[in-house]
């Protein structure tokens, strides 16, 4: 019986997998303000060119630089574990395997892209990276990466999280980053908001605007911006999760999992665990691939596939994705990492292509699942991860009903040690579920009517 | 190059090692109020008899029950890692290996004894365990163990930590434990203190009294007390750390380390990493074994080896140990796990026997070492662990000076994710060092003059 399946350093994947090479129809391009596809050089003030090249690449395999691997050996290869204690508790014939991304120093999968992003910036001669963070997972991962690689790191953290989660800021400080509450007085975007709303709790949209502004306005040209999810190069970097998992499953004789599950906010940990198996599915394998999102922010399950901006201030290009509208403000719930209005274009298009079967869960069921996990497997998961676990439990019980020995694989995207106040709110009975009504969604997506539409030139469908 | 040395489940040690079997002179027995050695049945209201048997055992090897291993496979065997990034930073020829005990669900080495203690209690028919906790590491480890094994768990948490570290309580709640601030209104000990000092911040001494009282006063006889350090059976359970490390070092061709280091508060993680190597030292191997304590609580380095109580209220038997006096209140510093007035009798006696070379460090140097660790190895260590790291850095630099390729092994006893406010205090310049004066120590240990003295009947020394 194999509870932990451990890959040695020498067997770590040496290339990332790019799903853009295998999608049945070509990925819809990002569009500029004029509705025309943007060119790489238009992104140059924001990202270094070596990352832009990855963003637009359709090459199937992209080499992972040896120096990037050397940094990531601190925690990679990550263990694949079998959730035998949960299996026993459920009495299921299913075998549940999970890729444990909580073992990174920052506690989640985010360093898988923070490290290469920081490294490529450094290679390109950049000295300083700006970013935004909501709950703090991404900000601490980038702080960690910049510390190891020798770059300055500036994080704009949404004011309400900055005040409520001081520990995340302390983490970033330990790794040498400068973390300020957003909106701040350091940018035009921040000052303008503060003038009008001095008591604003802030938002990811404002924080993105501040981070981008500080990157593009640096006259030395040595500052760039970094994003922790949504974009193609982020999905690319995260595929190391699924590529390792595939090798580890093979070590215990499993050619392919029957079901692959990940929680999905912007889409990065989900893409990471699933894309290598999406490739197999495109080539004929029978694999069910399930992104799990919160019922209170139902991007893939309820929102249309459209062209929309990535941020509130419409500073980003238009991306073809499932979106609840860039002005959508999700109701408060504790999985901060799943509160994004859109979904990664690669995940969105794969969904439209019929390669994914997304579903959503309410937060109370997710916390209930997290509690089952804590009392069986023993660890305290991130609130985001609990969404994946809720689906895993349902699928394992379904396998029990059907009497089938399915192999289920999921991504344990992070631990919940920095999110214990959410557990406290749940245990104190302070949490409720929130279901978005169809009217609310319709109202939000009305803004799309005058925007360009994604179009499938190959089949004319969608 | 081996950055991670991973032991498979089947190679996990199947027995604990008991240093009491190999000490050059027999371990000094605990004494009762009359100054005579206590008998096992005198401890029966406090601990279950199967644990008392381990406490007094002089058997060299004691089987680890298969069911205990089955529970611990959730995180054991723990990885042995090589701190290659720290080595490079220091430019040392030394090889630095560390046993990563931060990978347990509770984040430290404490579950190594919490699990067997809970299991033996359950076997003995006990339904409920009481304990105290200071900073919260031990309370959360016991909550975790009781949850998995199916026991009620009641934790008395020192009031000031209860108020300042709510997240530790939330953790215990997730694992189903009942955690209350001490002093509480639930016990005579607590009520008496509160009557006189309603605003007391509490202390470990009071919390121990409350936990023991609630255990011995339960009329059903189904409640017992558990202690997370100091006692012989706790040291025994922790030896799995060093036994695993020995196998893992052998996997990379290292027959014995040159230096073994662990931080020492009550002594348990230090005993865990070192005792299997102390055995080799007793049998002639040349190994330097270094317990590291805070300069502000210098038990092994400054305090005498005496008979003293384990608690403020003198409810425990007299133990032969290094002690600053049971009424000693250490000055505030952030390594809460190292603030104990005494030291495990097994560690103390091994020190008196000349098997250990203890040293102490100030907290500023320890935080400085923790920051070096964070920017090289990448992880954020517990404040306790930073004491070990400070010594490791010194020893690695000494090896550099000497030009010697030494093998250094240390115990990375826990992560610091629940202790980030200490880092914040350090980075904000709010911490200072505190050196205990010889006068203070002399004043504290004056209480020993009328107490029984440990005596070495074999050699007459000490």
């Amino acid at each position: 019986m194999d509870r932990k399946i451990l890959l040695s350093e020498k067997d770590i994947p040496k290339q990332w997998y790019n799903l853009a090479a295998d999608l049945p129809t070509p990925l819809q391009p990002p569009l500029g303000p004029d509705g025309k596809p943007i060119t790489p050089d238009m992104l140059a003030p924001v990202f270094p060119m070596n990352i832009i090249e990855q963003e637009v690449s359709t090459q199937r395999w992209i080499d992972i630089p040896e120096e990037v691997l050397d940094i990531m050996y601190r925690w990679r290869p990550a263990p694949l574990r079998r959730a035998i204690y949960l299996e026993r508790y459920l009495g299921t014939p299913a075998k549940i395997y999970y890729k444990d991304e909580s073992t990174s120093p920052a506690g989640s999968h985010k360093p898988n892209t923070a490290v290469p992003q920081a490294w490529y910036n450094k290679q390109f001669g950049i000295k300083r990276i700006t970013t935004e963070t909501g709950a703090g997972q991404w900000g601490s991962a980038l702080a960690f990466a910049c510390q190891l690689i020798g770059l300055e790191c500036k994080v704009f953290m949404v004011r309400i999280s900055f005040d409520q989660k001081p520990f995340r800021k302390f983490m970033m400080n330990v790794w040498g980053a400068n973390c300020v509450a957003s909106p701040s007085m350091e940018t035009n975007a921040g000052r303008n908001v503060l003038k009008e709303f001095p008591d604003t709790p802030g938002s990811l949209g404002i924080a993105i605007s501040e981070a981008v502004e500080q990157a593009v306005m640096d006259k030395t040209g040595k500052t760039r911006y970094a994003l922790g999810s949504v974009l193609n190069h982020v999905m690319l970097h995260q595929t190391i999760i699924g590529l390792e998992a595939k090798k580890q499953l093979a070590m215990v004789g499993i050619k392919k999992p029957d079901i692959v599950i990940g929680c999905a906010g912007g889409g990065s940990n989900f893409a990471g665990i699933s894309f290598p198996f999406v490739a197999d599915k495109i080539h004929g394998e029978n694999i069910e691939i399930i992104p799990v999102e919160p019922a209170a922010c139902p991007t893939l399950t309820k929102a249309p596939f459209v062209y929309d901006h990535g941020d509130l201030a419409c500073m980003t290009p238009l991306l073809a994705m499932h979106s609840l509208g860039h002005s959508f403000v999700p109701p408060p719930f504790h999985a901060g990492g799943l509160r994004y209005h859109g979904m990664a274009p690669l995940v969105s298009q794969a969904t439209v292509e019929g390669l994914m079967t997304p579903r959503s869960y309410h937060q109370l069921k997710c916390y209930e699942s997290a509690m089952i996990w804590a009392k069986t497997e023993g660890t305290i998961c991130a609130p985001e991860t609990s969404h994946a676990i809720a689906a895993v439990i349902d699928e394992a019980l379904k396998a029990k009903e059907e009497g089938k020995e399915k192999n289920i694989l999921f991504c344990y995207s992070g631990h919940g040690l920095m999110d214990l106040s959410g557990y406290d709110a749940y245990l104190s009975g302070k949490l409720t579920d929130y279901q978005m009504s169809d009217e609310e969604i319709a109202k939000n997506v009305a803004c799309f009517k005058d925007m360009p539409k994604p179009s499938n030139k190959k089949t004319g469908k969608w």
Side-chain angles (χ1 to χ4, degrees), chain A:
Chain A
M1 227 266 302
D2 303 89
R3 260 165 278 224
K4 277 180 244 170
I5 303 146
L6 303 163
L7 205 60
S8 68
E9 263 180 33
K10 68 175 171 36
D11 295 321
I12 201 168
K14 303 292 193 302
Q15 297 180 307
W16 291 299
Y17 168 68
N18 184 4
L19 181 62
D22 286 318
L23 275 181
T25 44
L27 193 63
Q28 299 281 303
L31 305 181
D34 57 358
K36 288 182 186 161
I38 58 165
T39 54
D41 58 292
M42 293 166 76
L43 293 170
V46 183
F47 300 110
M49 194 50 74
N50 48 9
I51 284 182
I52 296 170
E53 281 163 16
Q54 288 192 343
E55 181 64 19
V56 300
S57 173
T58 54
Q59 200 181 312
R60 182 168 292 112
W61 295 100
I62 294 179
D63 288 346
I64 309 177
E66 189 50 55
E67 286 181 46
V68 168
L69 287 175
D70 183 69
I71 295 164
M72 297 203 297
Y73 286 139
R74 283 180 175 83
W75 75 99
R76 301 212 76 86
L80 180 74
R81 299 184 196 269
R82 181 155 164 212
I84 187 78
Y85 306 95
L86 178 62
E87 291 173 20
R88 287 181 198 160
Y89 174 83
L90 299 173
T92 178
K95 287 180 184 165
I96 302 171
Y97 293 92
Y98 64 102
K99 192 68 181 162
D100 189 356
E101 294 297 319
S102 76
T103 61
S104 80
S108 79
H109 65 292
K110 293 289 185 192
N112 296 333
T113 185
V115 168
Q117 286 196 54
W119 189 83
Y120 283 113
N121 271 280
K122 175 99 171 181
Q123 287 296 108
F124 195 70
I126 300 305
K127 303 285 186 205
R128 182 162 173 264
I129 303 185
T130 63
T131 198
E132 77 291 331
T133 200
Q137 282 281 21
W138 168 243
S140 32
L142 191 66
F144 161 77
C146 286
Q147 168 76 288
L148 298 184
I149 286 165
L151 290 172
E152 280 180 61
C153 180
K154 174 63 166 279
V155 181
F156 291 89
M157 185 171 186
V158 176
R159 161 66 70 184
I160 188 166
S161 297
F162 185 90
D163 291 340
Q164 288 179 352
K165 297 194 168 189
F167 287 177
R168 276 285 174 195
K169 181 182 70 123
F170 299 162
M171 251 178 126
M172 295 183 236
N173 292 342
V174 169
W175 285 315
N178 178 359
C179 172
V180 296
S182 167
S184 76
M185 290 300 286
E186 295 188 25
T187 65
N188 288 325
R191 285 186 290 268
N192 287 341
V193 174
L194 285 173
K195 198 155 58 176
E196 204 169 346
F197 309 103
D199 298 325
T200 176
S203 75
L204 263 183
I206 300 167
I208 293 177
S209 303
E210 290 205 278
V212 172
E213 181 185 322
Q214 227 177 44
V216 302
M217 300 297 275
D218 176 6
K219 291 194 184 103
T220 68
K222 298 293 187 194
T223 301
R224 291 293 184 281
Y225 166 76
L227 191 66
S229 192
V230 179
L231 298 180
N232 302 340
H233 66 276
V234 179
M235 306 298 124
L236 177 78
H237 299 157
Q238 292 292 357
T239 58
I240 196 165
I241 302 173
L243 293 167
E244 282 182 8
K246 193 179 263 195
K247 287 191 171 199
Q248 288 162 309
L249 287 174
M251 286 165 71
V252 289
I254 297 174
K255 197 175 147 263
K256 66 158 191 81
D258 298 293
I259 303 171
V260 179
I261 294 171
C263 63
S268 79
N269 95 82
F270 170 72
I273 191 82
S274 71
F275 281 6
F277 300 101
V278 174
D280 296 341
K281 186 166 182 171
I282 290 170
H283 295 104
E285 289 283 12
N286 179 21
I287 306 174
E288 187 171 6
I289 297 173
I290 307 174
V292 186
E293 54 188 20
C297 191
T299 320
L300 286 171
T301 48
K302 294 252 185 163
F305 180 57
V306 293
Y307 265 112
D308 194 12
H309 293 284
D311 67 324
L312 181 70
C314 302
M315 290 176 73
T316 73
L318 288 165
L319 301 172
M321 61 183 178
H322 287 81
S323 174
L324 289 157
H326 58 262
S327 62
F328 172 69
V329 179
F333 55 94
H334 277 276
L338 307 180
R339 299 183 80 235
Y340 189 63
H341 69 276
M343 179 57 67
L346 278 167
V347 173
S348 293
Q349 196 166 320
T351 301
V352 179
E353 301 278 8
L355 295 163
M356 314 284 186
T357 45
R359 70 175 68 166
S360 71
Y361 286 107
H362 284 290
Q363 72 174 349
L364 288 180
K365 183 186 166 86
C366 294
Y367 272 107
E368 196 181 290
S369 304
M371 292 298 290
I372 291 172
W373 184 266
K375 84 173 173 194
T376 55
E377 293 299 311
T379 54
I380 297 175
C381 70
E384 292 81 6
T385 312
S386 74
H387 289 70
I389 293 172
V392 166
I393 291 174
D394 276 359
E395 289 302 315
L397 291 174
K398 188 175 158 203
K400 184 181 178 180
E401 269 176 33
E402 296 173 348
K404 285 187 187 163
E405 289 187 21
K406 294 181 188 171
N407 292 309
I408 301 174
L409 170 69
F410 82 98
C411 184
Y412 188 83
S413 54
H415 64 62
L417 299 183
M418 311 298 284
D419 307 280
L420 285 160
S421 49
Y423 280 89
D424 182 53
Y426 169 72
L427 291 171
S428 315
K430 288 179 198 149
L431 294 190
T432 51
D433 283 336
Y434 181 85
Q435 175 86 52
M436 282 200 71
S437 70
D438 292 344
E439 290 73 34
E440 278 174 282
I441 293 170
K443 204 180 103 191
N444 261 293
V445 303
C447 63
F448 299 133
K449 70 178 167 35
D450 299 325
M451 287 202 188
K453 301 280 176 296
S455 70
N456 181 341
K457 294 208 183 71
K458 196 167 151 199
T459 65
K461 280 190 209 156
W462 306 344

